[in-house]
Amino acid sequence: MDEQQFKRINFFRGFLTTERDWNAAEEYHVKKRMLHNHMLHGPGVVPGALQGFAVRSRGRGEMAVEVAPGYAIDGQGHDLILFEPVVRQVNLGDFEKLPATVYVVAKYVEEPTDFIEYKQNPDYKGHRRIIEKVRVDLSVAEPDMTQEIELARFHLTSGCKRILDARDSDRPGSNELDLRFVPRAGIVGSSLAPATLYQFSQVIAAGRQVFSVLAYQKKIMSAGVVLNALVTTEMLMLAGLLDHRTFFEYLRSILLLENDVVLEVERTDPELSKRREFYNFKDAIRRSLGELKDSPRDLDFMARLISNQDKCARALEPVLEGLIVTPDEAMVEEQRPTPETLAALSVYSSLTGETESVKIDKLTLDVVDMIDILDADSEERHKFKIIDYRDRYRTRQQLKYPDGTEVRDAGVGYEGGYCEFEIGNLKPHKDVILLMRMDYVHGDWKAEVLVNGERDGVWLCEGEDRVHRWRNQPYLIEAKNVNDTRLMLRQIPVTADRDINMFRIWVMQVSDD
């Protein structure tokens, strides 16, 4: 065949064919298939085909390796198909210098067969078929993928008595089979049942929620890596690249990353690491890692791994209750307080220690927490304290709101330093409104606000009123910064020579009803 172009045979009436025509026609199809393999799949073992060309030690104490049936493509595009297992003896005398790296390689070979010779005319003879075969060799030369495919390698020493399977597949020792460098041919499409793929997608979705909370809210850095791996696996599944041939390797990578999360939690969060839920989380991960070394990679084992992964994700849900946002919750468009809402709340005069909810415009706001300043129990529950102040004083006032409502209350004022307190009963990922009752005759101040040690914004009090002196000075913590059921706040005055007074602090969130 002309190497520069492809020519198909074209039959027509009266075309007298010869053996040359028929051989050229067959060669055309062989070359086209090789081109397809070479350009669209690349050289390597095809995962999951037959028994994957798996190389194992012989279980009889032999100096030999056994190669299981498999399918591979070499660098020229030849199909290498081994239908029966092959055993290769390892003879130390065959190698001139030890220690040495020995490669187990598969090569494509052709062998003419079915020879026939016609007695009536001896000129008519030849092989009626050509067998496409695979030869498995042991070699100390590094494999050339255009000619052969590596199936395994091992570091052979002079005192070797037996070739073994690796105890640690990531770090094989001397005389142990090393499968880390086996090339994989490109494949596409999944042979897994739709029900299995759907089940695994649900497990990935649950894992994404749990590891997202661990990474971004609990600050477990390694959980962010797991989250990325789960997202990547989900993308591979959607692209049709996750099936029996790739599932076990993908999941093994995820399990190793999840084990890093276990180690980080044990190192940095002793309280969580002692919880029963964390033990179940860790047990599901390590059980799967242990079984991956020895269990046959069949559909039953796949189902067991998916079940373990589901247990891993579900185990921590009770610990993270309230922090996980379900997809349905994320899709709900939440009503949010506006500047007009905050302005109306600032003059709302009916707030008391018994207030449960407030209706402003079309919003219903639930009072989820309240700090009663100068009440010892309330201050202790909320870890309320004023630190490094230049001046601090107590005050009791009977003042009016702009609507004329008169209220008597006691509070505290301070200048310099900062005020710190904790609020609770929060629903994560929802806006939080703080209303601080104050004597508005002492207005015109600014204070920086930190939430859990991170700068959040500025609490701003503009203007003053010498007649209607009560105001509920508002401050909004946006939903993106509400990442737990409890938050520690710090109020740091930044206006020089100006004190801040406070009598009571209400904590509100938009009602779910």
Side-chain angles (χ1 to χ4, degrees):
M1 176 179 292
D2 189 334
E3 295 295 330
Q4 301 302 317
Q5 54 189 335
F6 285 96
K7 293 191 294 184
R8 297 197 312 271
I9 193 169
N10 182 49
F11 293 99
F12 58 89
R13 180 179 296 181
F15 181 14
L16 297 178
T17 58
T18 67
E19 71 276 11
R20 180 178 178 183
D21 296 312
W22 286 99
N23 286 331
E26 189 66 21
E27 185 182 12
Y28 168 84
H29 292 290
V30 170
K31 293 292 185 181
K32 287 298 287 286
R33 188 176 68 247
M34 290 172 59
L35 177 67
H36 176 92
N37 287 346
H38 175 68
M39 300 303 295
L40 298 184
H41 297 286
V45 174
V46 177
L50 300 176
Q51 296 178 36
F53 264 126
V55 181
R56 303 182 182 90
S57 65
R58 296 279 285 174
R60 309 169 187 174
E62 299 179 29
M63 275 285 286
V65 296
E66 181 172 319
V67 179
Y71 171 43
I73 298 170
D74 70 13
Q76 298 180 57
H78 289 115
D79 295 308
L80 280 66
I81 307 176
L82 184 68
F83 291 101
E84 299 291 338
V86 171
V87 176
R88 285 291 175 264
Q89 296 293 327
V90 180
N91 300 309
L92 297 181
D94 292 342
F95 305 98
E96 295 181 1
K97 186 177 180 181
L98 294 176
T101 299
V102 178
Y103 302 90
V104 183
V105 297
K107 298 181 179 181
Y108 173 83
V109 292
E110 293 183 350
E111 180 180 303
T113 186
D114 296 346
F115 181 81
I116 187 171
E117 180 178 0
Y118 294 99
K119 295 181 179 179
Q120 297 84 350
N121 190 343
D123 291 334
Y124 292 162
K125 59 184 177 181
H127 296 89
R128 291 178 293 177
R129 299 287 187 274
I130 293 179
I131 301 177
E132 297 178 345
K133 302 177 68 175
V134 177
R135 189 176 74 231
V136 177
D137 292 331
L138 301 180
S139 171
V140 293
E142 189 166 343
D144 176 2
M145 280 206 299
T146 63
Q147 305 294 330
E148 56 198 5
I149 295 298
E150 177 179 344
L151 304 179
R153 64 175 70 180
F154 51 91
H155 185 70
L156 183 64
T157 62
S158 57
C160 178
K161 301 296 182 183
R162 184 184 174 193
I163 304 300
L164 301 170
D165 294 325
R167 286 167 290 185
D168 183 349
S169 59
D170 290 325
R171 302 177 188 81
S174 295
N175 307 311
E176 292 184 343
L177 289 169
D178 184 351
L179 308 179
R180 294 175 298 171
F181 305 98
V182 177
R184 305 292 178 185
I187 55 176
V188 69
S190 179
S191 58
L192 292 179
T196 301
L197 290 171
Y198 176 77
Q199 182 185 7
F200 192 50
S201 72
Q202 297 300 105
V203 172
I204 290 177
R208 285 178 59 182
Q209 293 176 354
V210 167
F211 286 100
S212 177
V213 172
L214 290 175
Y216 298 117
Q217 299 179 34
K218 294 300 184 181
K219 307 302 182 184
I220 306 298
M221 303 303 293
S222 53
V225 183
V226 177
L227 178 60
N228 291 335
L230 291 174
V231 172
T232 301
T233 302
E234 187 174 45
M235 294 171 64
L236 291 169
M237 184 162 52
L238 291 172
L241 297 176
L242 182 72
D243 69 354
H244 188 279
R245 298 165 288 186
T246 55
F247 173 86
F248 297 99
E249 294 306 318
Y250 288 164
L251 189 57
R252 180 176 178 273
S253 296
I254 292 172
L255 287 166
L256 290 172
L257 295 173
E258 289 175 342
N259 193 57
D260 290 341
V261 174
V262 171
L263 297 175
E264 184 175 348
V265 170
E266 290 178 336
R267 186 175 68 252
T268 63
D269 194 337
E271 183 178 345
L272 176 57
S273 66
K274 293 177 183 176
R275 296 281 297 264
R276 176 68 183 177
E277 295 86 350
F278 179 76
Y279 172 81
N280 293 336
F281 170 79
K282 176 172 68 174
D283 182 63
I285 295 169
R286 294 187 172 171
R287 186 187 302 119
S288 292
L289 281 172
E291 292 181 355
L292 271 169
K293 294 181 179 179
D294 305 314
S295 300
R297 299 191 172 189
D298 53 22
L299 291 177
D300 289 339
F301 182 41
M302 180 184 295
R304 193 158 69 248
L305 287 176
I306 292 175
S307 176
N308 278 352
Q309 190 67 10
D310 186 54
K311 291 176 183 177
C312 166
R314 307 292 181 187
L316 289 183
E317 286 183 348
V319 179
L320 306 175
E321 186 176 4
L323 300 179
I324 296 175
V325 179
T326 66
D328 290 340
E329 291 172 334
M331 291 297 291
V332 174
E333 185 175 352
E334 185 177 354
Q335 292 180 299
R336 304 190 64 190
T338 64
E340 291 74 21
T341 305
L342 300 181
L345 287 170
S346 71
V347 296
Y348 189 81
S349 60
S350 299
L351 289 169
T352 68
E354 305 299 324
T355 301
E356 294 183 355
S357 64
V358 174
K359 289 189 176 181
I360 299 291
D361 297 327
K362 297 180 180 181
L363 284 184
T364 299
L365 300 167
D366 292 334
V367 177
V368 297
D369 202 1
M370 192 272 291
I371 306 174
D372 187 358
I373 308 299
L374 295 184
D375 181 273
D377 290 339
S378 183
E379 288 190 358
E380 183 178 358
R381 285 198 311 273
H382 296 90
K383 302 177 184 178
F384 180 90
K385 53 190 174 183
I386 299 174
I387 301 171
D388 296 337
Y389 53 85
R390 288 192 296 272
D391 186 24
R392 171 176 174 158
Y393 60 89
R394 295 188 176 197
T395 178
R396 184 176 296 275
Q397 300 285 355
Q398 184 165 337
L399 305 171
K400 293 181 179 180
Y401 278 93
D403 66 358
T405 301
E406 192 169 66
V407 176
R408 183 178 180 83
D409 204 353
V412 66
Y414 74 101
E415 180 186 342
Y418 60 90
C419 175
E420 192 170 77
F421 53 90
E422 186 178 65
I423 58 176
N425 301 320
L426 306 176
K427 293 181 179 179
H429 316 298
K430 292 175 68 71
D431 293 326
V432 170
I433 300 172
L434 302 178
L435 295 180
M436 184 179 72
R437 177 182 282 167
M438 61 166 293
D439 182 355
Y440 195 42
V441 76
H442 302 287
D444 283 327
W445 52 259
K446 293 181 181 180
E448 185 177 7
V449 177
L450 274 63
V451 176
N452 287 347
E454 301 289 337
R455 188 181 187 280
D456 185 77
V458 174
W459 203 331
L460 180 62
C461 177
E462 295 180 304
E464 59 183 34
D465 191 336
R466 296 183 179 276
V467 178
H468 301 100
R469 292 168 52 176
W470 280 140
R471 291 291 189 279
N472 308 318
Q473 193 60 40
Y475 182 78
L476 177 67
I477 306 174
E478 293 186 1
K480 64 182 180 181
N481 294 329
V482 183
N483 53 22
D484 208 335
T485 56
R486 304 190 68 82
L487 298 176
M488 178 63 72
L489 277 75
R490 180 175 294 186
Q491 180 193 67
I492 308 171
V494 296
T495 306
D497 302 323
R498 196 60 162 165
D499 64 287
I500 296 177
N501 66 83
M502 57 186 72
F503 291 76
R504 198 170 296 222
I505 301 174
W506 289 271
V507 183
M508 297 180 169
Q509 291 187 292
V510 176
S511 174
D512 289 332
D513 299 333

